Amino acid sequence: MTYNKITGDILAQFTNIVGNDAILTSPAEIADYSHDETEDLVYYPEVVVKPQTVEQVSQLMKICNEQLIPVTPRGAGTGLAGGALAVNGGLMISMERFNHILDIDEQNLQATVEPGVITELFMNAVAEKGLLYPVDPASKGSCFIGGNVANCSGGPRVVKYGTIREYVLNLEVVLPTGEVIWTGANTLKYASGYNLTQLLIGSEGTLGIVTKIVTKLIPRPTLDALMLASFPSNEDACAAVSAIFRAGVVPSGLEFMERRGIEWVIEHDGITFDLKDGIEAFLLIEADGTNQEVIFADCEKINEVLEQHNCQDVLFADTSAQKEELWRIRRTMAVSVKSNSIYKEEDTVVPRAALPKLIKGIKEIGAKYGFESVCYGHAGDGNLHVNIIKAGMSDDDWNNKLKDGITEVFELTVALGGTLSGEHGIGLVQKGFMHLKYTPIHFAIWKGIKAIFDPNGILNPGKIF
Amino acid sequence: MTYNKITGDILAQFTNIVGNDAILTSPAEIADYSHDETEDLVYYPEVVVKPQTVEQVSQLMKICNEQLIPVTPRGAGTGLAGGALAVNGGLMISMERFNHILDIDEQNLQATVEPGVITELFMNAVAEKGLLYPVDPASKGSCFIGGNVANCSGGPRVVKYGTIREYVLNLEVVLPTGEVIWTGANTLKYASGYNLTQLLIGSEGTLGIVTKIVTKLIPRPTLDALMLASFPSNEDACAAVSAIFRAGVVPSGLEFMERRGIEWVIEHDGITFDLKDGIEAFLLIEADGTNQEVIFADCEKINEVLEQHNCQDVLFADTSAQKEELWRIRRTMAVSVKSNSIYKEEDTVVPRAALPKLIKGIKEIGAKYGFESVCYGHAGDGNLHVNIIKAGMSDDDWNNKLKDGITEVFELTVALGGTLSGEHGIGLVQKGFMHLKYTPIHFAIWKGIKAIFDPNGILNPGKIF
């Protein structure tokens, strides 16, 4: 695809649409928009605009579509797969001024929200009304809900409450041609033609720019319990995971953490934690609900399972402060690990009982290629984040040989019935591995769908495939 | 689209693929395959085949694709929108011999099942292992799970447990070209390219023929309570629905039934029921879980809400037999109503708080056009089945004027934020109304998607759009 540069004339048109105060053109101004949270990748767009109405987005898209200018939609820039990087330059449309919660409908338990709302602010706003929007990625304090939709983002509560697919009911979308549609209806059920809402979720900003999101809300659980279980091996911890469900309990959080991850958090965040010898892995397990007895009963069942799986110690959080501290360890782990070294993060997902084999295999592959890895993630969903640390690796090994190691990690993931990404998306950095799982038929279908929505290929080009 | 007839030569090829005992050609043999449960519509396919392997389906599709022979995939024929009718003749591929539960994986809480398995048999098989597959349409005793996937079917438990979209993880599909793909991965989370699993769900057999289904399973609730609440008006009953959720309770069933529906069940099924004067509507409400106290507490909260909404009487089912009897009233209502008159069934769905306006409007439209309607459905989801009864209507009114009345019903549904079908699909009989909700842009996208999967337009033509 050949794209055009943004000329002075086109820039004037953009300025005319969004106003002088909502357009950035100098590299200094644009620097913040040149990267997301993916490794150390940097790509500068030519121009950044910050529209605040659907009409403005539509007008911008029409011009770019006619002039063949690549467009990169941008949320908060917290993505981990390079989905929001302007790899072809062009125009970046930042959705940061679409930051309004338009409606929290307490009669229907639905909300209408703009894509630039920070996920946690939205969660708090509905919580104030006794309601729950449970899709809370680790980056909830900074990521946008629009980015969550684009990447089919998850978080620890997916294990009980389901993915973002189960909460997004309807989307207002500006298509690459500038046309505006609602993808579906504001209904809990939908059997009225191919489901475009579901197609847009997880499409990583390649099919359209979301301008309004209608979500389902549910009654908020009022109580919870949190425990941290320690194990002598990764395999023991992972094996306990599927046994917990088999015992009839669906926890509201079931997170795996390697010892090495905890060590890095202790080291870099100054968290006090008594890390005992002989412990290699932890499960952070939350049970929530509206009845204390039921939660206790769930915890007892979980405890029995843990005992059967060689669990060495269970720490119950007694206070809100203790709970917050334990969750903080899990939430800051990514940042702690990454602050210390160049890294690559993979987002493997497998059927949950395959976790022991996955983690064992990852360590073996690491030994073969000489990379260190720190693993943690949403074990209840079979979703393991694998942080590959450069540490002592030579630049040559890191730049030239690591790809083969990652290929083996993904080959193992696929062989175990899994896929490349559970909740981070494919974006720029994983697309080179997609052929490990998908056939030319899949690629042909995806490209066909892309061409329907975006005949000129201007929207977020170079992502996914 | 111009299609070809099945010649003797092609028939020989079909026979060669599936064998003599799996091919039907005479009208007498085919009669059962000429209709589904949609009104009184009849369309004969030229030939019916009953393959039993994915390779056979693939070979059949390749021939039909080359020879431009229309193909209608067929489940159990319980559909209510004409999706399984062979409107262009051609080949019908009945999936009835794909009737094996291939695996119930108790470690991962997943199952792999063929599409011709009767939904209730599957539910029972997983229940024996203490697990729940909760998608149970009223026709669960006869419908196939493959048809449920095709139509994005629901049922009473969707209100708590979610739609079939939340349970189907991966599909093996034969494309119209004969190629075979798995749509995704056997994982609970998925952020790896456009989600083809979700695209196939609800595509009504127009994009591919599903040959294997991987589903999620969850721990089975062990206890439940069931109550029947009576109201002096439809509006009172419907208003109580959203208030129940607002009180923090998510029932496992929340069904609405009009008085007229109960009367027809009493009349046609010989059910004993004390139908009091002054009662116009009922809510059948189930709460389930694993703890009796919690269920009682939920029932108490529900009761408080009912009292605030002019509920006249609440009947608690004390025994399993009583529960079964109450559910039977709800489940047989469709058959009872339809056994008595020519009818048309609409499957309206709106945000749940809009139900009072919807039902009031339907009655007003009925009065205007002279049709009687019996309404019931999954009120907790805002999903109302509207049975329009011919009764005393003249043939002329029924054949020529009713369409305007139905148009008004759908216009109202759309104006209330809803759409044409919540769980039955669009199929043949609702496609003429799709323009009431969707724009030419939607149609262009849908048709584009269809053309990617089915460039020759041979698979289930004439459905949805």
Side-chain angles (χ1 to χ4, degrees):
Chain A
M1 200 69 73
T2 311
Y3 300 108
N4 293 322
K5 294 282 172 195
I6 298 173
T7 63
D9 176 52
I10 294 170
L11 184 64
Q13 292 179 48
F14 291 161
T15 309
N16 202 30
I17 291 166
V18 296
N20 264 318
D21 60 336
I23 191 158
L24 310 177
T25 55
S26 76
E29 291 174 316
I30 290 177
D32 282 351
Y33 298 86
S34 68
H35 60 87
D36 59 8
E37 295 297 321
T38 312
E39 306 169 15
D40 52 352
L41 301 175
V42 173
Y43 294 90
Y44 276 75
E46 293 158 56
V47 174
V48 175
V49 288
K50 306 176 188 178
Q52 55 185 344
T53 69
V54 60
E55 292 75 20
Q56 288 175 352
V57 176
S58 169
Q59 288 168 25
L60 291 164
M61 290 304 299
K62 276 182 188 156
I63 293 169
C64 293
N65 191 44
E66 281 162 16
Q67 302 292 336
L68 296 183
I69 292 166
V71 175
T72 308
R74 174 93 173 180
T78 58
L80 297 165
L85 296 176
V87 292
N88 293 283
L91 181 68
M92 178 167 280
I93 298 184
S94 170
M95 299 304 283
E96 66 200 86
R97 298 209 295 177
F98 279 80
N99 59 352
H100 303 94
I101 298 170
L102 300 175
D103 183 37
I104 297 176
D105 176 350
E106 296 186 66
Q107 290 307 307
N108 284 303
L109 300 200
Q110 295 184 1
T112 305
V113 58
E114 290 187 326
V117 172
I118 290 173
T119 304
E120 190 168 31
L121 296 183
F122 177 55
M123 298 178 76
N124 292 345
V126 305
E128 274 178 27
K129 297 180 187 293
L131 299 172
L132 178 68
Y133 171 77
V135 186
D136 57 345
S139 58
K140 65 180 179 179
S142 52
C143 65
F144 291 170
I145 188 168
N148 300 165
V149 173
N151 290 289
C152 197
S153 303
R157 280 164 152 171
V158 164
V159 66
K160 176 169 179 178
Y161 292 104
T163 72
I164 196 166
R165 292 193 178 281
E166 296 164 38
Y167 292 89
V168 174
L169 302 178
N170 201 0
L171 297 168
E172 184 189 67
V173 178
V174 179
L175 302 178
T177 52
E179 292 165 312
V180 181
I181 62 168
W182 280 95
T183 52
N186 297 359
T187 55
L188 296 168
K189 281 168 154 179
Y190 189 87
S192 303
Y194 305 152
N195 195 310
L196 301 183
T197 310
Q198 292 296 329
L199 183 59
L200 263 288
I201 297 170
S203 65
E204 305 193 31
T206 64
L207 300 180
I209 297 183
V210 171
T211 46
K212 287 194 190 78
I213 301 161
V214 178
T215 74
K216 174 172 105 170
L217 305 170
I218 56 177
R220 190 162 167 258
T222 48
L223 301 167
D224 59 58
L226 187 65
M227 58 180 102
L228 184 71
S230 56
F231 297 84
S233 76
N234 291 334
E235 287 85 348
D236 281 329
C238 289
V241 169
S242 55
I244 288 171
F245 294 88
R246 203 59 205 85
V249 181
V250 179
S252 53
L254 183 36
E255 300 287 309
F256 169 84
M257 296 179 285
E258 257 195 293
R259 179 189 182 95
R260 194 83 187 89
I262 303 257
E263 285 172 353
W264 288 45
V265 171
I266 293 171
E267 200 172 324
H268 293 276
D269 287 306
I271 283 176
T272 315
F273 187 87
D274 180 19
L275 194 56
K276 298 203 173 99
D277 288 345
I279 297 301
E280 286 302 320
F282 296 85
L283 293 179
L284 184 62
I285 310 167
E286 186 189 82
D288 76 0
T290 54
N291 180 291
Q292 198 66 64
E293 274 183 52
V294 174
I295 293 174
F296 283 155
D298 281 350
C299 289
E300 269 176 40
K301 281 190 210 164
I302 292 169
N303 232 346
E304 282 170 30
V305 171
L306 295 175
E307 280 173 15
Q308 291 157 13
H309 285 80
N310 209 12
C311 174
Q312 300 299 299
D313 194 34
V314 178
L315 171 71
F316 273 88
D318 287 324
T319 64
S320 298
Q322 280 187 329
K323 288 175 189 171
E324 186 42 46
E325 183 83 351
L326 287 179
W327 272 119
R328 192 158 77 89
I329 292 175
R330 169 60 189 89
R331 285 221 170 86
T332 61
M333 192 163 287
V335 176
S336 299
V337 170
K338 292 166 188 174
S339 66
N340 200 38
S341 167
I342 293 181
Y343 65 93
K344 286 183 192 288
E345 178 166 359
E346 314 306 336
D347 177 38
T348 57
V349 61
V350 293
R352 71 167 82 94
L355 275 178
K357 283 183 187 164
L358 178 64
I359 198 158
K360 184 161 177 281
I362 288 168
K363 297 300 172 186
E364 288 167 1
I365 295 165
K368 177 174 167 188
Y369 287 89
F371 65 76
E372 190 183 342
S373 64
V374 181
C375 299
Y376 50 85
H378 312 299
D381 305 314
N383 186 196
L384 194 71
H385 301 320
V386 183
N387 274 271
I388 298 172
I389 308 301
K390 184 165 182 290
M393 244 183 144
S394 73
D395 286 351
D396 181 48
D397 282 358
W398 180 259
N399 292 325
N400 301 317
K401 293 187 190 152
L402 180 58
K403 197 184 167 203
D404 294 339
I406 295 174
T407 297
E408 285 199 31
V409 168
F410 283 136
E411 283 172 345
L412 173 65
T413 305
V414 170
L416 293 170
T419 188
L420 282 71
S421 176
E423 57 174 27
H424 292 174
I426 299 303
L428 182 66
V429 297
Q430 309 301 10
K431 70 173 180 168
F433 301 100
M434 286 289 269
H435 66 281
L436 299 173
K437 166 78 183 169
Y438 301 99
T439 68
I441 303 171
H442 293 96
F443 283 86
I445 293 172
W446 291 333
K447 287 179 181 175
I449 291 171
K450 169 71 174 170
I452 294 166
F453 283 81
D454 186 11
N456 294 336
I458 58 154
L459 189 58
N460 213 5
K463 308 296 166 60
I464 306 181
F465 46 74
Chain B
M1 201 68 74
T2 311
Y3 299 109
N4 293 322
K5 294 281 172 196
I6 298 173
T7 62
D9 175 54
I10 294 172
L11 184 64
Q13 293 180 48
F14 291 162
T15 309
N16 202 31
I17 293 167
V18 297
N20 264 318
D21 61 334
I23 190 157
L24 309 177
T25 55
S26 76
E29 290 174 316
I30 291 178
D32 281 350
Y33 298 87
S34 69
H35 61 86
D36 59 8
E37 295 297 322
T38 312
E39 305 169 18
D40 51 353
L41 301 176
V42 173
Y43 294 89
Y44 276 75
E46 293 159 57
V47 174
V48 175
V49 288
K50 306 176 186 178
Q52 54 186 345
T53 69
V54 61
E55 293 75 20
Q56 289 175 351
V57 176
S58 170
Q59 289 167 26
L60 292 164
M61 289 303 300
K62 276 182 188 155
I63 294 170
C64 292
N65 190 45
E66 281 161 16
Q67 302 293 337
L68 297 183
I69 291 165
V71 175
T72 309
R74 173 93 172 180
T78 58
L80 296 166
L85 296 175
V87 292
N88 292 285
L91 181 68
M92 177 167 281
I93 298 184
S94 169
M95 299 304 283
E96 67 200 86
R97 298 209 296 177
F98 280 80
N99 59 352
H100 303 94
I101 298 171
L102 300 174
D103 183 38
I104 297 176
D105 176 349
E106 295 185 66
Q107 290 307 307
N108 284 303
L109 301 200
Q110 295 184 3
T112 305
V113 57
E114 290 187 325
V117 171
I118 290 173
T119 304
E120 190 168 30
L121 296 184
F122 178 55
M123 298 178 76
N124 292 346
V126 304
E128 275 178 26
K129 296 179 187 293
L131 299 172
L132 177 67
Y133 171 77
V135 186
D136 57 344
S139 57
K140 66 179 178 179
S142 52
C143 65
F144 290 171
I145 190 169
N148 300 165
V149 172
N151 289 289
C152 196
S153 303
R157 280 164 153 170
V158 164
V159 66
K160 176 168 179 178
Y161 292 104
T163 72
I164 195 166
R165 291 193 178 280
E166 296 164 38
Y167 292 89
V168 174
L169 302 178
N170 200 1
L171 296 168
E172 183 189 68
V173 179
V174 179
L175 301 179
T177 52
E179 293 164 313
V180 182
I181 63 169
W182 279 95
T183 53
N186 297 359
T187 56
L188 296 168
K189 281 167 153 180
Y190 189 88
S192 303
Y194 305 152
N195 195 309
L196 301 183
T197 310
Q198 292 295 329
L199 184 58
L200 263 288
I201 297 171
S203 65
E204 304 192 31
T206 65
L207 299 181
I209 297 184
V210 171
T211 46
K212 287 194 191 78
I213 301 162
V214 179
T215 75
K216 174 172 105 171
L217 304 171
I218 55 177
R220 188 160 168 259
T222 47
L223 302 166
D224 59 57
L226 187 65
M227 59 179 102
L228 184 72
S230 57
F231 296 85
S233 75
N234 290 333
E235 288 84 347
D236 282 327
C238 289
V241 169
S242 54
I244 287 170
F245 294 88
R246 203 59 204 85
V249 181
V250 179
S252 53
L254 183 35
E255 300 286 309
F256 170 83
M257 298 180 282
E258 258 194 292
R259 178 189 184 94
R260 195 81 187 90
I262 303 259
E263 285 173 352
W264 288 45
V265 170
I266 294 171
E267 199 171 325
H268 294 276
D269 288 305
I271 284 176
T272 314
F273 188 86
D274 180 18
L275 193 56
K276 296 204 174 100
D277 289 345
I279 297 302
E280 286 302 319
F282 296 84
L283 293 178
L284 183 63
I285 311 167
E286 186 189 82
D288 75 1
T290 53
N291 179 290
Q292 198 67 66
E293 273 183 51
V294 174
I295 293 174
F296 283 157
D298 281 350
C299 289
E300 267 176 41
K301 281 190 210 163
I302 292 169
N303 232 346
E304 282 170 29
V305 171
L306 295 175
E307 279 173 14
Q308 290 158 12
H309 285 81
N310 209 13
C311 173
Q312 300 299 297
D313 195 33
V314 178
L315 171 71
F316 274 88
D318 288 323
T319 64
S320 297
Q322 279 186 328
K323 288 175 189 171
E324 187 43 47
E325 182 83 352
L326 287 179
W327 271 120
R328 192 158 77 90
I329 292 175
R330 168 63 189 87
R331 285 220 169 86
T332 60
M333 192 162 288
V335 176
S336 299
V337 169
K338 292 165 187 175
S339 65
N340 200 37
S341 168
I342 293 180
Y343 65 92
K344 286 182 192 291
E345 178 165 358
E346 314 306 337
D347 176 40
T348 57
V349 61
V350 294
R352 70 167 81 94
L355 275 178
K357 282 183 188 164
L358 177 63
I359 197 158
K360 185 162 177 282
I362 287 168
K363 297 301 172 183
E364 288 167 0
I365 295 164
K368 179 175 165 188
Y369 286 90
F371 66 75
E372 191 182 340
S373 64
V374 182
C375 298
Y376 50 85
H378 313 298
D381 305 314
N383 186 198
L384 195 71
H385 301 321
V386 183
N387 274 272
I388 298 173
I389 307 300
K390 184 163 182 287
M393 246 183 144
S394 73
D395 286 354
D396 181 49
D397 282 359
W398 181 259
N399 292 325
N400 301 316
K401 293 185 189 153
L402 180 58
K403 195 183 168 202
D404 294 339
I406 295 173
T407 297
E408 285 198 31
V409 168
F410 283 136
E411 282 172 346
L412 173 64
T413 305
V414 170
L416 292 170
T419 188
L420 282 72
S421 176
E423 57 174 25
H424 292 174
I426 299 304
L428 182 67
V429 298
Q430 309 300 11
K431 70 174 180 168
F433 301 101
M434 286 288 270
H435 67 281
L436 299 173
K437 167 78 183 169
Y438 301 100
T439 69
I441 302 170
H442 293 94
F443 283 86
I445 294 171
W446 291 333
K447 287 179 182 175
I449 291 170
K450 169 70 173 169
I452 294 167
F453 283 82
D454 186 11
N456 294 336
I458 59 152
L459 189 59
N460 214 4
K463 307 297 165 61
I464 306 181
F465 44 75

